[in-house]
Amino acid sequence: MLNPPGSLLFSSDLRTQFLFRTSTCCLRSPTTGRFSTAIQPFFPSRVETVRRSLLGSCFSDQTISILCLAHKPSTTSQYQSVWSLFLNFLADRGLTSLDMTEVSCVGIVCDFLAYHSSLGKQYRTIASYRSALRHPILFTCGVDIRSEASDLFMRGLFNFHPPVRSRPMPLWSLASLLDFLCGPPFEPLESASFRALVRKTLCLLLLATGRRIGEIAHLSRLYKPSASSISLHLVPGFTPKHHTQTFQSSKPSIAYLDSDKSLSHLLCPVRAYFIYQRKSSLWANSLAPALRHHFLWSSPNSPLPVSKGSLTSHFIALVHDCRRREGHPTDIPVGPHQMRRFAASYSTHVGHGEDKIKRVMGFSSVRILRKHYVGDVGPLRVPCVLPGGAFLPKSHELSSSDTD
């Protein structure tokens, strides 16, 4: 049941001890399209706010449970953070859901967006804030904040604080990192330490697939080989970030590094993948049946799969070690998503087909690939695998470590 008017819901955060004054609002009936009067509060939980509002509009619990699956857990978590910011914004100004009338609602939301823009947040962040607020306010107050006035505000904000077209290319060198991976402590790979094996395999998979770290972290131990590549499977229940009714990306895949005998295979991702599979199988199979999991990434010291956060730390440490070896500072932005930029840029730069790059990297369109991921890059000196296929430098471009 809904809390009676004037009741308080206390939370651990004093700023979210939000007064549950209820408001008389107009909600559109999902069946007739007509508006009806209902009393609806704002709850500290964004999902609970939506759920209670829909219950008041004659939606069943089963239907609401399905509706709440529209967003992935990561999006739900991000939207909850925005919702908490909004409730704090209202509380600081002595406002409640009672004040979110059809006349004032859009103005209050635009004030909230303008406030966070003044804190230096980017246009795309502000746009995502509006998206996070839309459904709980629509279902609770019966007001769609994507109105003409709201759209005009976003257009003005776009002109006042234009979004960054795309992030700059990484400040560290992929060519140097690949050179680093060709020597100790990564080679010979069959006898390398667990840490070195994980870091090299991770780096080559990120570069060859061009996929996000979330997908790489959720690879399973299953794969399907073909003549020129192997298709990698994701663990059951995981879906990539952009997975909708209209677009589902193909499975990640990695190509073989085929070349003549004068070139090295030290950076072949398939080679690293199979060596890692063999070694990690020993750890995985040593676990009790009840503790075994489907994830590719295993640890000899834990029955749990290696997390996305741990893999991210491995990658950052790898780049830092490379820069220290060359005497460069490590206080620069580093992250696995930068490999996605490198993968797209280098594969495009060496002339691989855009359609293949788009498919292998899991993009829904070539336009997104060009607009957000392709940038200027320097030359590569070693044979490696990119999303568009193997890259084999000309003989005069080879690093000294790449010839027999």
Side-chain angles (χ1 to χ4, degrees):
M1 294 180 62
L2 298 179
N3 293 41
S7 66
L8 286 169
L9 181 68
F10 294 94
S11 69
S12 58
D13 185 351
L14 292 178
R15 291 175 61 80
T16 58
Q17 291 180 2
F18 191 75
L19 184 61
F20 269 18
R21 292 172 58 193
T22 56
S23 60
T24 302
C25 334
C26 292
L27 293 179
R28 187 187 295 273
S29 167
T31 54
T32 65
R34 298 176 180 174
F35 286 96
S36 59
T37 300
I39 297 177
Q40 300 292 332
F42 283 160
F43 291 83
S45 166
R46 178 184 177 277
V47 171
E48 185 66 9
T49 300
V50 171
R51 193 182 74 83
R52 293 291 188 101
S53 298
L54 293 176
L55 280 174
S57 298
C58 301
F59 282 79
S60 68
D61 282 325
Q62 181 182 15
T63 301
I64 294 172
S65 297
I66 295 173
L67 185 147
C68 289
L69 296 176
H71 296 308
K72 296 177 184 176
S74 59
T75 303
T76 299
S77 176
Q78 292 170 356
Y79 279 10
Q80 174 58 43
S81 298
V82 177
W83 183 245
S84 297
L85 290 174
F86 182 64
L87 294 187
N88 289 337
F89 177 84
L90 295 181
D92 286 345
R93 287 152 181 78
L95 303 174
T96 71
S97 57
L98 182 66
D99 302 292
M100 301 291 287
T101 65
E102 186 173 1
V103 174
S104 64
C105 188
V106 174
I108 293 173
V109 170
C110 288
D111 284 346
F112 168 76
L113 299 178
Y115 169 72
H116 282 279
S117 176
S118 71
L119 298 179
K121 295 181 180 177
Q122 296 294 318
Y123 173 85
R124 292 189 180 93
T125 300
I126 301 301
S128 71
Y129 279 18
R130 187 175 70 151
S131 296
L133 298 179
R134 185 186 179 216
H135 286 142
I137 292 176
L138 175 63
F139 297 144
T140 301
C141 303
V143 179
D144 189 351
I145 61 173
R146 285 188 177 175
S147 64
E148 185 69 23
S150 175
D151 288 343
L152 283 173
F153 170 82
M154 295 303 296
R155 286 168 57 186
L157 183 62
F158 182 95
N159 294 329
F160 175 72
H161 193 185
V164 178
R165 187 172 182 269
S166 62
R167 292 184 179 181
M169 292 298 293
L171 300 177
W172 51 274
S173 167
L174 177 64
S176 296
L177 182 62
L178 295 180
D179 280 336
F180 183 46
L181 293 175
C182 289
F186 306 100
E187 292 296 339
L189 193 57
E190 292 81 356
S191 58
S193 67
F194 163 72
R195 176 184 297 175
L197 177 60
V198 168
R199 291 181 180 179
K200 180 163 184 173
T201 305
L202 172 64
C203 181
L204 296 183
L205 291 185
L206 285 169
L207 181 62
T209 64
R211 296 298 179 103
R212 299 174 185 275
I213 186 63
E215 291 182 64
I216 299 300
H218 286 85
L219 291 175
S220 77
R221 303 189 67 81
L222 300 177
Y223 62 91
K224 183 178 180 181
S226 67
S228 59
S229 64
I230 63 172
S231 175
L232 308 178
H233 291 223
L234 298 169
V235 294
F238 173 79
T239 54
K241 182 175 182 179
H242 296 297
H243 183 92
T244 66
Q245 303 98 312
T246 57
F247 173 76
Q248 297 88 41
S249 62
S250 61
K251 291 184 177 69
S253 63
I254 50 178
Y256 294 93
L257 182 54
D258 292 327
S259 65
D260 59 49
K261 295 184 182 297
S262 66
L263 297 177
S264 169
H265 288 257
L266 295 181
L267 296 178
C268 177
V270 178
R271 166 183 175 260
Y273 176 81
F274 282 135
I275 292 175
Y276 179 84
Q277 276 270 25
R278 287 198 303 271
K279 289 204 168 187
S280 61
S281 293
L282 300 176
W283 315 323
N285 294 337
S286 67
L287 297 173
L291 297 177
R292 294 176 186 173
H293 55 75
H294 300 289
F295 288 79
L296 169 67
W297 304 103
S298 302
S299 169
N301 303 317
S302 172
L304 300 176
V306 181
S307 68
K308 181 177 76 170
S310 294
L311 291 175
T312 298
S313 297
H314 273 298
F315 180 80
I316 294 173
L318 173 64
V319 176
H320 284 175
D321 287 347
C322 175
R323 289 183 63 81
R324 288 191 194 97
R325 185 191 70 157
E326 297 184 333
H328 298 314
T330 59
D331 56 343
I332 60 171
V334 176
H337 198 72
Q338 293 174 333
M339 285 296 277
R340 191 162 160 89
R341 294 288 309 277
F342 274 141
S345 299
Y346 274 109
S347 204
T348 301
H349 178 71
V350 301
H352 292 156
E354 285 186 324
D355 286 336
K356 183 176 182 181
I357 299 171
K358 172 182 76 72
R359 175 177 57 80
V360 172
M361 294 188 67
F363 288 115
S364 59
S365 71
V366 171
R367 181 187 65 83
I368 295 175
L369 168 69
R370 294 172 181 167
K371 182 177 180 181
H372 298 294
Y373 287 90
V374 176
D376 294 330
V377 289
L380 283 179
R381 302 184 296 271
V382 291
C384 61
V385 175
L386 303 167
F391 166 68
L392 306 176
K394 298 176 182 178
S395 58
H396 67 275
E397 297 175 334
L398 286 174
S399 168
S400 59
S401 64
D402 302 319
T403 57
D404 291 336

